[in-house]
Amino acid sequence: LPDRKDLRGPSKPDPKMMEEDEEMHKRWEAEKAMVETENANRHSLRCDLELKLGVVERFQDDSFYFPFNIDFRGRTYPIPPHFNHLGADVNRGLLLFHEAKP
């Protein structure tokens, strides 16, 4: 599951020190960019999980079927983009069959 909190970015060094030490400025910029990228990835994962949980909550007490498309080779693909049995482990972990079979 994605972490709820974003990472804290590096504290900005003193501007005079950054002017004197160009390498320090480059390291700070690189670390800042890395933290921003990680926070954007976490945000994306949180949004994706919210979509999946929204679908699960909507159909929580109902039986349902997954509609499929079939291509010209006979391969089948589930139509729902956010929640299907071919998705991530979270998707498969949230599914419960209506009629259990051994």
Side-chain angles (χ1 to χ4, degrees), residues 35-47:
V35 168
E36 289 173 351
T37 300
E38 178 62 25
N39 286 339
N41 289 338
R42 287 182 182 194
H43 178 74
S44 176
L45 291 172
R46 286 191 296 260
C47 290

Side-chain angles (χ1 to χ4, degrees), residues 4 6 13 16 21 32 34 38 41 45 50 58 62-63 65 67 69 82 93 100-102:
R4 290 182 181 186
D6 285 342
K16 288 184 180 182
D21 188 359
K32 179 182 161 202
M34 189 172 60
E38 178 62 25
N41 289 338
L45 291 172
E50 280 291 322
R58 164 63 181 89
D62 298 332
S63 297
Y65 297 91
N69 277 336
H82 303 297
K101 295 184 180 180

Side-chain angles (χ1 to χ4, degrees), residues 12-25:
K12 188 170 184 174
D14 182 35
K16 288 184 180 182
M17 290 184 71
M18 286 197 319
E19 286 177 9
E20 294 172 6
D21 188 359
E22 185 67 28
E23 194 61 35
M24 175 192 287
H25 182 70

